[in-house]
Amino acid sequence: MSKLLVTGGCGFIGSNFVRHLLQTDPTVSIINLDALTYAGNLANLADLAGHPRYQFVRGDITDRDAVRKVMKLGVTEVINFAAESHVDRSIHDSGPFVLTNVLGTQTLLDAAREFQVSKYVQVSTDEVYGSLGATGYFTEETPLAPNSPYSASKAGADALVRAYYHTFGLPAVITRCSNNYGPYQFPEKLIPLFVTNLLADLQVPVYGDGQQVRDWIHVLDHCTGVEAAWRKGRPGEVYNFGGRCEKTNLDLTHTLLDLLGKPHSLIRYVQDRLGHDRRYAIDCTKAETELGWKPQVPFAEGLRATIRWYEQNTAWVSAIRTGDYLRYYEKQYGQAA
Ligand code: NAD
Ligand code: TYD
């Protein structure tokens, strides 16, 4: 029986992963270590309160004592989702990105070594490969060329994971996925920001000319990819995941406006992001052939379901808008950590 340490489980992808695994594997138990930064929301896993195979611990992955304390609960494997994840914030202040993404990963790697876990999974991103021109794809062999402080910090973490495998034989794998969308995504990223703005008849800010390309994947497809890498990934290997679904930001914006029945005049062109990567596209052949993984959710279907989710979860959205969600921990546990 696996006792998994999942870090960052109160964020967007981590919460979807925890729920997915507990629902589909009755032999697994999960400890979720999350610092509850602005991106961590206890409401994302409120439905798991009291679940016999789930435990939440508030703690920071850069805190060695906190991490060792959790490892002593009998952790057998580690999956690291915890990160500062928003490019725009990393341009504003890269400090928390280096701390959590690099130092936090090092802290987890040291703990994984000390407690001799049987697998360590580092959830990374396709953004470590940099930006593509009009053609071509990122493969696992593409040299790392991060362009934003966010992707640079993720690449630094990946380099450490690789080094711990080579130097110490830590059974670690790295996953690199393209842009995720789905329920529980913090409304600072393109899709949830635009959907929640449009539901309130607010404008949507398109950066620059809107011709940047992203490869979209439903969060559950990413979760099954991370699961496959955890179960079957070979130590020392990297696995790319993508949705084979490239869209320009402007095309995607038009689709969102149309699905929500809103006028295109709600588009507001704003100043471009500094150093904005032009195109990401993933070749996920290795994950398909080696792990038997495939993205399953068609974009049109996943996008409609995602819009429905934001329409139906207005309390989740408004608690974020008012900042009430930041007080859930005190309400539930009676004190600030
Ligand atoms: P998110 O920002 O929604 O969630 C991050 C979570 O990590 C939050 O719950 C936050 O509280 C927690 N956290 C942050 N710093 C912490 C710390 N020091 N200690 C403990 N917990 C901390 O992020 P996400 O979109 O769910 O992304 C999860 C992972 O997947 C990240 O590593 C990210 O780089 C990677 N990724 C994301 C995408 C995407 O499209 N969102 C794509 C590929 C890879
Ligand atoms: P984002 O969701 O921040 O993901 P990432 O930067 O990790 O790809 O942004 C997706 C794309 O959308 C990216 O090209 C930047 C663009 N974008 C906008 O045009 N307007 C916005 O308000 C946001 C948040 C993003």
Side-chain angles (χ1 to χ4, degrees):
M1 175 146 172
S2 286
K3 192 160 198 170
L4 272 183
L5 173 60
V6 171
T7 66
C10 294
F12 163 47
I13 304 170
S15 62
N16 277 284
F17 180 81
V18 168
R19 182 178 295 102
H20 160 75
L21 208 58
L22 286 176
Q23 278 172 356
T24 54
D25 185 345
T27 71
V28 86
S29 56
I30 294 180
I31 302 172
N32 168 17
L33 178 69
D34 196 298
L36 296 181
T37 68
Y38 81 92
N41 187 344
L42 275 181
N44 293 0
L45 288 176
D47 52 318
L48 293 185
H51 191 293
R53 291 180 287 115
Y54 172 71
Q55 185 181 351
F56 170 67
V57 177
R58 186 175 192 178
D60 196 310
I61 60 165
T62 65
D63 179 343
R64 264 169 206 276
D65 292 340
V67 169
R68 291 188 76 250
K69 202 167 154 194
V70 164
M71 294 300 292
K72 284 181 186 163
L73 297 173
V75 169
T76 56
E77 290 121 292
V78 175
I79 304 187
N80 181 25
F81 289 92
E84 288 292 336
S85 68
H86 190 40
V87 173
D88 293 323
R89 285 178 188 259
S90 80
I91 294 167
H92 181 68
D93 179 7
S94 60
F97 287 75
V98 175
L99 270 181
T100 285
N101 300 359
V102 183
L103 191 62
T105 297
Q106 183 225 358
T107 308
L108 289 172
L109 288 168
D110 280 342
R113 265 190 76 206
E114 180 184 347
F115 290 86
Q116 300 182 346
V117 300
S118 58
K119 201 68 157 284
Y120 176 98
V121 181
Q122 176 72 6
V123 180
S124 186
T125 164
D126 63 347
E127 300 191 27
V128 297
Y129 297 122
S131 184
L132 291 165
T135 58
Y137 297 90
F138 298 134
T139 73
E140 289 80 0
E141 309 305 321
T142 304
L144 301 196
N147 289 320
S148 73
Y150 162 64
S151 54
S153 65
K154 293 294 288 186
D158 287 10
L160 281 170
V161 175
R162 177 189 155 91
Y164 274 61
Y165 167 72
H166 280 275
T167 308
F168 305 114
L170 185 78
V173 300
I174 296 172
T175 65
R176 296 188 180 134
C177 189
S178 63
N179 285 63
N180 286 217
Y181 70 96
Y184 301 101
Q185 187 168 27
F186 197 83
E188 63 181 352
K189 307 278 167 61
L190 187 142
I191 289 182
L193 177 70
F194 283 19
V195 169
T196 53
N197 275 10
L198 292 174
L199 286 172
D201 289 313
L202 298 171
Q203 290 183 319
V204 290
V206 170
Y207 297 165
D209 62 6
Q211 293 306 312
Q212 305 80 12
V213 173
R214 295 294 182 264
D215 171 2
W216 293 96
I217 183 170
H218 191 272
V219 64
L220 280 181
D221 281 330
H222 184 190
C223 291
T224 58
V226 172
E227 180 188 359
W230 161 56
R231 292 189 195 279
K232 300 187 228 166
R234 285 184 294 132
E237 294 295 316
V238 174
Y239 298 94
N240 286 350
F241 301 115
R244 296 192 197 279
C245 178
E246 292 183 52
K247 309 269 175 215
T248 67
N249 292 340
L250 197 56
D251 281 348
L252 175 55
T253 304
H254 288 154
T255 304
L256 292 172
L257 285 158
D258 295 343
L259 286 172
L260 283 153
K262 303 292 178 181
H264 288 207
S265 56
L266 282 175
I267 294 177
R268 184 163 54 95
Y269 289 94
V270 299
Q271 200 180 3
D272 207 353
R273 173 186 278 173
L274 289 178
H276 200 168
D277 283 339
R278 199 65 181 167
R279 175 169 169 261
Y280 303 142
I282 277 276
D283 179 341
C284 49
T285 310
K286 179 177 174 186
E288 289 178 341
T289 50
E290 225 183 83
L291 303 177
W293 169 89
K294 247 191 195 332
Q296 304 288 339
V297 184
F299 185 68
E301 215 172 274
L303 193 62
R304 263 196 293 274
T306 300
I307 290 174
R308 240 187 344 268
W309 189 88
Y310 286 97
E311 278 171 339
Q312 289 169 355
N313 287 274
T314 48
W316 184 90
V317 176
S318 64
I320 290 176
R321 289 253 152 96
T322 60
D324 266 3
Y325 79 109
L326 295 168
R327 288 181 282 279
Y328 289 163
Y329 184 84
E330 281 166 272
K331 278 190 190 152
Q332 201 169 324
Y333 297 93
Q335 55 175 22

